[in-house]
């Protein structure tokens, strides 16, 4: 009689992602009952198994009735066994009945766009890994960290239960079930991320509560320059990830609007062009015409608080007269542009980068640097200025640290299966010059004034549970909906002001002028972090 095999995969064998505490992000482990289909043609003590798992024997028999291959009892919502139930079932030693620990893919992966998605592509697999001879069903990373860390995650071999059966599916006597597991207990490797699952979930809730359709939130740990939460909308459609939501807007270059004035202020102070004694006519707009918002004649500190366009248009022109690349230089000094993602040598990789971050820019061509109206618009974060939310969060962290700038990391280590580390990613400074400590201190005061001075643009944030410093931005996008202009609305800042721990950026993209308010989103996010820290 011909011999065949029936098998059930217990673990695909691909490495997984863990949160900062080593808890799984991409999978759930469950103790489950596995039943092989030949049981339906045999006499076996179904009552004993039913009694252990507290169901009727009929329920087990009904499940087996339709089984074509080995089944996990309870299907996707698998019945979770206790350790004691597992031991009791396995002690019965019934052919075709097993209690095992199985990995299930998480339905909702926290920070899903940052983690990324996998797909099956045999051709791409063999191109990436010519030395590995594997079956067609090899999953490879396609986006995000799944793609970046793919070489360490790619599966060695699956763990499975195999049973030899005869031609009609009955058990071959004397041929017991085999549990095939990878020979090397250290593999596959796991990636330990910087994600704080509780904070991630809290900010996901805020994004959904305020119905952010496009945009998101990014939270950084200032001391270690690590991403604690990365929320991007639209969310990934888990049943069809490529149909939408796979993009991580926190790493994409977007028009920043007035948040960019922070760079202009830093450059002008560092270059000695402005101090608090200098006044600007903020009754006029950037072209010298009367402005709708009559802010009066004010200094740099108040100009940041009220977000006066005239001040930053004038300063941008003076800066570019002095050095036509000064805005790029200061954007790099603040950690807004340049090598933001953790980068370094990892084994045989030179310049391995943890994140795929869009390159930002301030001007597209040198012609633009000569046009004063173009420069004026650039100084207020319009025209061709494009920066990433990650870069803006990093800039706020840099200011909060007094000018120290660090690369941002999303992973802390590559770990063996037993939890020991194979490679750790150390905290790394960003190369290049930085702003002076005095300028950083002044910026801290001015960004606090945005929230706590009577004329500041964000007084609503002064009711938050932590003290906040930061900057608003409303960027024109050049897009319209129902004949009305669309904007990117931003708030970026850090908290608590006295002892900075977190930098946060919130952006609501492509919203009309009177919708998608950013302050409640930012405040509720800060309050959520406070509650997790203090309750």
């Amino acid at each position: 009689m011909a011999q065949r095999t029936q098998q059930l995969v217990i673990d695909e064998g691909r490495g997984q992602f863990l949160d900062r505490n080593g808890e799984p992000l991409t999978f759930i482990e469950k103790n489950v009952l596995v039943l092989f289909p030949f049981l339906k043609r045999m006499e076996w003590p179904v009552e004993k198994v039913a009694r252990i798992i507290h169901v009727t024997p009929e329920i087990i028999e009904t499940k087996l009735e339709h089984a074509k291959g080995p089944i996990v009892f309870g299907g996707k919502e698998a019945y979770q066994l206790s350790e004691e139930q597992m031991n009791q079932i396995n002690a019965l030693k019934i052919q075709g009945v097993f209690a095992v620990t199985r990995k299930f893919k998480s339905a909702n992966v926290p920070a899903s766009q940052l983690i990324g998605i996998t797909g099956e592509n045999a051709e791409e697999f063999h191109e990436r890994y010519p030395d590995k001879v594997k079956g067609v069903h090899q999953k490879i990373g396609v986006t995000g960290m799944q793609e970046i860390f793919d070489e360490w995650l790619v599966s060695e071999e699956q763990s499975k239960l195999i049973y030899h059966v005869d031609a009609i599916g009955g058990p071959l006597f004397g041929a017991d079930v085999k549990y095939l597991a990878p020979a090397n207990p250290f593999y596959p490797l796991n990636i330990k991320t910087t994600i704080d699952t509780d904070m991630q979930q809290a900010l996901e809730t805020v994004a959904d509560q305020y119905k952010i359709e496009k945009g998101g939130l990014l939270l950084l740990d200032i001391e270690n320059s690590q991403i604690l939460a990365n929320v991007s909308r639209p969310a990934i459609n888990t049943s069809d990830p490529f149909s939408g939501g796979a993009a991580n807007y926190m790493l994409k270059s977007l028009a920043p609007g007035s948040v960019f004035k922070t760079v202009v202020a830093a450059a002008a102070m560092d270059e000695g062009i402005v101090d608090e004694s200098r006044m600007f006519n903020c009754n006029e707009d950037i072209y010298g015409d009367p402005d709708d918002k009559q802010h009066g004649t004010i200094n740099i500190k108040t100009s940041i608080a009220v977000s006066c366009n005239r001040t930053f248009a004038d300063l941008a022109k003076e800066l570019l007269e002095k050095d036509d690349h000064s805005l790029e230089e200061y954007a790099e000094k603040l950690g807004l542009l340049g090598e933001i993602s953790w980068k370094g040598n990892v084994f045989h990789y030179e310049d391995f980068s943890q994140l795929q971050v869009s390159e930002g820019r301030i001007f597209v061509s040198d012609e633009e640097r000569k046009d004063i109206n173009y420069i004026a618009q650039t100084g207020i974060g319009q025209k061709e200025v494009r920066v990433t939310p990650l870069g803006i969060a990093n800039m706020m962290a840099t200011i909060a640290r007094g000018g120290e700038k660090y690369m941002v990391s999303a992973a802390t280590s590559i770990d063996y299966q037993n939890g020991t580390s194979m490679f750790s990613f150390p905290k790394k400074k960003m190369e290049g010059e930085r702003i002076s400590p005095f300028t950083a201190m002044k910026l801290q005061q001015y960004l606090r004034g945005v929230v706590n001075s009577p004329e500041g643009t964000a007084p609503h944030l002064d009711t938050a549970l932590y003290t906040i410093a930061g900057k608003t931005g409303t960027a024109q996008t050049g897009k319209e909906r129902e004949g009305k202009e669309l904007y990117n609305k931003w708030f970026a800042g850090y908290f608590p002001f006295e002892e900075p721990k977190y930098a946060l950026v919130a952006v609501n993209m492509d919203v009309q002028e009177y919708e998608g308010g950013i302050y409640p989103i930012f405040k509720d996010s800060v309050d959520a972090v406070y509650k997790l820290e203090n309750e």
Side-chain angles (χ1 to χ4, degrees), residues 241-508:
F242 297 101
S243 66
N248 185 0
Y249 282 112
M250 298 304 95
L251 307 185
K252 300 267 182 235
S253 293
L254 315 172
S258 296
V259 180
F260 186 72
K261 291 172 181 171
T262 313
V263 176
V264 180
M269 287 191 288
D270 242 19
E271 293 295 325
I273 289 172
V274 70
D275 60 26
E276 283 171 28
S277 65
R278 182 176 170 185
M279 299 306 224
F280 298 87
N281 182 1
C282 286
N283 290 328
E284 292 179 358
D285 68 12
I286 62 175
Y287 307 114
D289 299 322
D291 196 332
D292 302 341
K293 296 174 180 153
Q294 296 283 302
H295 292 305
T297 304
I298 56 176
N299 70 358
I300 180 80
K301 183 180 183 180
T302 310
S303 292
I304 286 183
V306 302
S307 204
C308 165
N309 286 340
R310 178 63 194 259
T311 302
F312 298 95
D314 285 359
L315 290 174
K317 289 181 215 167
E318 290 171 39
L319 283 162
L320 264 81
E321 243 172 65
K322 210 172 162 185
D323 171 0
D324 65 4
H325 282 74
S326 59
L327 292 180
E328 281 91 346
E329 283 166 20
Y330 277 89
E332 288 198 14
K333 285 183 184 185
L334 286 162
L336 173 62
L337 293 181
E339 301 279 4
I340 301 169
S341 161
W342 190 99
K343 202 171 187 181
N345 296 344
V346 180
F347 301 115
H348 58 274
Y349 286 101
E350 280 185 27
D351 287 342
F352 171 82
S353 182
Q354 285 191 4
L355 298 164
Q356 292 160 331
V357 189
S358 299
E359 273 198 34
R361 61 167 195 242
I362 291 168
F363 293 100
V364 169
S365 73
D366 285 339
E367 288 309 301
E368 294 164 4
R369 299 174 198 277
K370 301 184 179 85
D371 180 329
I372 57 165
N373 288 338
Y374 218 105
I375 295 167
Q377 291 261 8
T378 301
I380 61 169
Q382 287 296 155
K383 282 298 185 198
E384 293 300 329
V385 183
R386 296 290 180 274
V387 292
T388 60
L390 178 73
I392 288 179
N394 196 38
M395 171 173 80
M396 289 297 167
T398 300
I399 292 165
R401 284 190 292 252
E404 290 271 358
K405 53 177 188 168
Y406 289 94
M407 295 174 179
V408 177
S409 57
T412 51
S413 59
I414 301 170
D415 291 352
Y416 292 114
Q417 274 299 308
N418 66 0
T420 59
S421 172
M422 170 178 164
F423 184 88
S424 291
F425 295 96
K427 180 171 153 184
K428 286 182 84 167
K429 284 193 173 179
M430 281 179 84
E431 301 278 300
E433 295 177 24
R434 28 182 287 212
I435 58 168
S436 73
F438 178 78
T439 293
M441 182 192 72
K442 281 294 178 196
L443 284 173
Q444 290 167 4
Q445 292 171 14
Y446 299 167
L447 294 173
R448 177 72 185 126
V450 170
V451 177
N452 79 341
S453 62
E455 64 278 2
T457 53
H460 178 73
L461 295 180
D462 217 25
T463 60
L465 296 173
Y466 274 130
T467 48
I468 298 167
K471 183 73 191 80
T472 22
T474 306
Q476 294 168 316
T477 62
K479 298 180 213 168
E480 285 188 358
R481 187 173 72 236
E482 296 154 5
K484 289 184 178 161
E485 195 168 0
L486 297 180
Y487 300 89
N488 290 344
K489 294 189 178 179
W490 296 80
F491 195 87
Y494 65 88
F495 56 93
F497 174 69
E498 298 74 18
E499 286 178 44
K501 280 184 79 172
Y502 304 102
L504 176 67
V505 62
V507 58
N508 205 353

Side-chain angles (χ1 to χ4, degrees), residues 119-126 129 132-140 154-158 160:
E120 279 180 20
N121 184 334
E123 218 172 290
E124 172 72 14
F125 179 86
H126 291 303
Y129 310 112
K132 290 189 194 261
V133 183
K134 294 288 179 212
V136 182
H137 302 301
Q138 270 290 2
K139 287 237 165 78
I140 54 172
V154 77
S155 79
E156 293 301 312
E157 51 191 304
Q158 296 174 327
K160 48 195 171 189

Side-chain angles (χ1 to χ4, degrees), residues 91-108:
L92 294 172
K93 293 196 163 62
I94 304 167
Q95 265 196 313
V97 178
F98 306 94
V100 295
T101 304
R102 190 183 190 203
K103 279 185 182 168
F104 291 85
K105 198 174 163 190
S106 294
N108 294 310

Side-chain angles (χ1 to χ4, degrees), residues 234-249:
I236 284 185
N237 171 356
T238 44
S239 57
D240 183 7
F242 297 101
S243 66
N248 185 0
Y249 282 112

